[in-house]
Amino acid sequence: MTPSTLMPAPAPVSGTDGRLALAEDLLGLLRTTTTEPRPDEQLEALTLAVAADLPVLLWGEPGIGKTAALTQLAASLDLPLTTVIASVHEPSDFSGLPIVGDDPAVRGVPMAPPQWAVDLVRAGRGLLFLDELSTATPAVQAALLRVVLERRVGTLRLPPGVRIVAAANPRASAADGWELSPPLANRFVHLYWVHDREVVVRGLGGVWPRAELPRLAPERLAEAVAFARRAVCGFLKARPTLIHRLPTTETQRGGAWPSPRSWEAALTLLAFGTAASVSREVLALLVRGAVGDGPGLELLAHLDRMDLPDPESLLADPASAELPERGDLRQAALEAVVAAVGARPERERWEAGWAVLVRALETGAPDLLVAPATALAALRRDDWVIPGAVERLAGVVGLARRADRSVGRATAAAGTGRVTGVRR
């Protein structure tokens, strides 16, 4: 390569303006990032709740990336982002400023909305980000109630295309923090944001996960709604005390807890999650974020039981019984069979129960049969002849009992300091 073909060196930059321009160029390169489709349960849960038009509250320690996640979410969904720092506003900024007109005695005194609300209405769509919610005073939190639930700011109603997401730090790590009031907390789906090492490292390298709206299957919409209603209503019929349960501590009242409002949110999330075929992990984040950890986990367990086979069908035809493959569901199905026999104890049903256990032995792990077999044996009446199927299960139950006794002896020996030898 000859000197004439070399690229000319950049002209030297002189002066303050030139050096600032170079600094801006370098900052521009640092801020230039791309996105990629990448599994992220937190982001998937957030996006589904936004699609379901439910207010979401992201909890996390300072610097965890909540604001960055919301900024990236708005960009991915092509929604204008409007950020409002709740703690630096007055209650009138959310309830509206009174404006006296020409004849207030006749026309009243209208409540004028702030500029950010007017801009959202003009745009017709957008993502309203209420940041630093846990540092807002109780008066500001009270003013936010209508904004979050009814989408009203003064006399202005936010359009349906506006979604609401908030962020907060736990009180211990918030600057002059407050606990959320129970009425405000109960209006949100609470998601607890934690960092993922791989996401952070790859993001700092310039590639962040991409937020995408859930892909709802059109043919499953009606089925998803019916399933969600059947699941939530069936669960609350069985657990009516969980319809409304205000927590006893101030901190718990500032999070997710069960009420008719939050159960409606859980039903909506369950319908959206079913129609989008989300993973159980994502569904667990959403349900627990709506009604709290305890009720949410109970609902998820109820969903599993809904998929269990009918115990009466299993007793009617044990030879062709189809049992769940997952261990906990299989054991629950076998326990349901034993419970059905116990509810109506008859010799034929008792023998059919043993036939179901034999079927389970043929198609799955034998260790799951110990408890159901023991319970079924306890239901025997004196005049009932022991069926031959019991012999096939005797070895399983006996081996488990011997193992339990061996563990007990080993534990007792360890407690007394004796060392037992191994007989060969």
Side-chain angles (χ1 to χ4, degrees):
M1 181 178 292
T2 63
S4 60
T5 61
L6 294 174
M7 294 295 292
V13 176
S14 61
T16 302
D17 291 343
R19 288 193 292 270
L20 285 177
L22 280 178
E24 289 295 333
D25 291 341
L26 180 56
L27 289 173
L29 291 174
L30 287 170
R31 293 166 182 162
T32 301
T33 60
T34 59
T35 61
E36 64 178 357
R38 180 184 178 89
D40 190 315
E41 293 172 0
Q42 291 182 136
L43 193 56
E44 190 177 353
L46 170 60
T47 309
L48 190 140
V50 168
D53 198 16
L54 293 171
V56 184
L57 176 54
L58 302 184
W59 288 95
E61 298 296 335
I64 203 70
K66 303 184 296 296
T67 302
L70 263 297
T71 302
Q72 196 271 328
L73 174 67
S76 298
L77 303 182
D78 193 26
L79 289 174
L81 179 65
T82 298
T83 301
V84 178
I85 309 298
S87 58
V88 300
H89 284 268
E90 298 294 329
S92 57
D93 294 333
F94 301 105
S95 58
L97 294 166
I99 303 297
V100 179
D102 295 336
D103 195 351
V106 177
R107 298 182 179 274
V109 179
M111 305 297 284
Q115 185 63 44
W116 59 263
V118 175
D119 292 341
L120 278 172
V121 172
R122 287 175 178 170
R125 56 196 293 272
L127 185 64
L128 173 59
F129 177 32
L130 302 172
D131 203 2
E132 304 293 345
L133 200 62
S134 56
T135 58
T137 64
V140 171
Q141 292 186 27
L144 280 168
L145 292 176
R146 292 194 72 199
V147 178
V148 174
L149 185 64
E150 302 176 24
R151 313 297 176 93
R152 284 191 175 277
V153 185
T155 57
L156 196 65
R157 188 179 186 89
L158 299 178
V162 173
R163 300 295 195 263
I164 297 178
V165 181
N169 304 128
R171 183 177 182 178
S173 56
D176 194 20
W178 299 78
E179 298 290 358
L180 289 194
S181 67
L184 183 60
N186 199 237
R187 284 162 165 78
F188 283 103
V189 176
H190 299 254
L191 297 179
Y192 294 86
W193 209 256
V194 295
H195 78 276
D196 181 278
R197 179 180 60 83
E198 293 184 4
V199 170
V200 172
V201 171
R202 189 154 177 79
L204 293 176
V207 183
W208 294 97
R210 181 184 308 139
E212 296 181 349
L213 288 173
R215 299 182 181 276
L216 304 175
E219 68 278 3
R220 297 197 64 188
L221 299 186
E223 172 194 346
V225 172
F227 172 77
R229 286 177 173 166
R230 186 171 69 254
V232 174
C233 293
F235 174 72
L236 293 180
K237 284 181 181 178
R239 296 284 279 125
T241 58
L242 290 181
I243 292 178
H244 187 278
R245 178 178 287 180
L246 183 66
T248 55
T249 68
E250 184 182 9
T251 300
Q252 291 175 331
R253 288 196 294 266
W257 48 275
S259 72
R261 179 191 294 122
S262 59
W263 280 116
E264 183 180 8
L267 191 153
T268 300
L269 293 167
L270 184 55
F272 268 76
T274 302
S277 299
V278 300
S279 68
R280 181 182 175 85
E281 290 73 20
V282 171
L283 192 61
L285 289 175
L286 292 166
V287 170
R288 293 165 61 190
V291 296
D293 287 340
L297 291 173
E298 286 196 45
L299 175 62
L300 292 170
H302 176 74
L303 297 181
D304 289 338
R305 291 193 295 271
M306 288 178 62
D307 294 331
L308 294 178
D310 180 15
E312 294 297 339
S313 299
L314 298 178
L315 290 170
D317 188 8
S320 58
E322 294 291 338
L323 295 166
E325 294 184 3
R326 212 174 84 186
D328 58 335
L329 298 183
R330 173 176 284 245
Q331 185 154 19
L334 296 177
E335 290 173 353
V337 168
V338 175
V341 174
R344 187 155 56 92
E346 299 172 359
R347 183 178 60 81
E348 293 79 6
R349 291 167 58 80
W350 185 69
E351 292 175 351
W354 286 110
V356 173
L357 295 186
V358 170
R359 175 67 174 171
L361 178 65
E362 296 170 345
T363 60
D367 56 318
L368 300 178
L369 304 176
V370 177
T374 303
L376 189 61
L379 298 176
R380 177 178 175 267
R381 303 287 175 84
D382 293 339
D383 57 338
W384 291 355
V385 178
I386 298 177
V390 176
E391 296 181 3
R392 300 186 59 182
L393 297 167
V396 175
V397 177
L399 180 62
R401 288 176 175 171
R402 287 196 297 272
D404 288 340
R405 287 195 294 269
S406 298
V407 172
R409 287 195 298 269
T411 303
T416 58
R418 290 187 293 107
V419 179
T420 58
V422 178
R423 180 177 297 176
R424 298 183 182 278

